[in-house]
Amino acid sequence: MSSSSAVSSEMLRQWMKSVVTMTIEGVAMGEHPFGAGVFTDSGKQIAVAHNQVVSRCDPTAHAEVMAIGKAAKKLGDPDLSGLWLVSTGEPCPMCLAAIGLAGIEHVAYGASASTIETANFGTLGLTASELAEQLSPPIQLTGGILEYDCSALLINHRKKDSDDG
């Protein structure tokens, strides 16, 4: 089981840099500006993914869900207990549920739910911090990792009113 004290803020920033790079690749392909990755607390990258809602025409193809799926497939196990998930944005309720179902108890994110809303991406009116405490076991959230970079991606690539997901 990982411990939040076992991961330094420098390591979280390094992980987020990998995730931001993947997010930029997704944006260049016309995807929404979200990315996520799954990492071990010792620093090994298991999987990184960007949002694929547009290309898959699938409202559930959020970056967190894609990264969790890639990590489970790579490890040959749907139980990702002891791993960290890093996301450019505060996870939505669907993604936080997927994180919990995968057994991930530690999440670090960049942009807050309010920034996500400002960029016209919905959060369904429920923040990750509100939902995380209600899950069993609760998910520990660490926000504000490379917040400026992650927020800039969202604000500079706002969702148009005609977009889905």
Side-chain angles (χ1 to χ4, degrees):
M1 213 53 150
S2 66
S3 160
S4 61
S5 62
V7 175
S8 69
S9 58
E10 179 56 34
M11 188 175 292
L12 290 175
R13 287 192 296 275
Q14 289 298 92
W15 292 347
M16 187 64 81
K17 286 177 185 177
S18 297
V19 171
V20 166
T21 298
M22 177 61 73
T23 305
I24 292 167
E25 290 176 22
V27 167
M29 295 188 294
E31 293 294 347
H32 296 156
F34 294 95
V38 177
F39 301 85
T40 67
D41 60 1
S42 64
K44 182 180 178 195
Q45 177 179 300
I46 305 298
V48 177
H50 59 73
N51 187 292
Q52 295 181 34
V53 168
V54 175
S55 61
R56 291 181 178 232
C57 196
D58 178 355
T60 67
H62 289 197
E64 296 92 336
V65 173
M66 304 311 308
I68 288 167
K70 282 175 72 172
K73 185 171 270 192
K74 182 174 183 177
L75 297 173
D77 191 347
D79 182 0
L80 303 180
S81 297
L83 301 178
W84 277 74
L85 185 125
V86 176
S87 177
T88 56
E90 186 172 345
C92 74
M94 177 189 71
C95 291
L96 198 66
I99 291 163
L101 289 169
I104 297 171
E105 295 179 30
H106 298 284
V107 174
Y109 64 88
S112 68
S114 62
T115 301
I116 293 168
E117 292 271 346
T118 298
N120 295 329
F121 294 96
T123 62
L124 300 176
L126 185 63
T127 66
S129 55
E130 292 169 330
L131 183 57
E133 296 170 359
Q134 297 175 37
L135 299 177
S136 180
I139 294 173
Q140 192 173 61
L141 300 169
T142 304
I145 309 301
L146 296 184
E147 183 173 14
Y148 178 83
D149 298 346
C150 296
S151 296
L153 276 168
L154 285 162
I155 298 304
N156 291 331
H157 302 283
R158 293 175 188 270
K159 182 179 178 188
K160 311 292 187 278
D161 289 334
S162 62
D163 281 355
D164 293 324

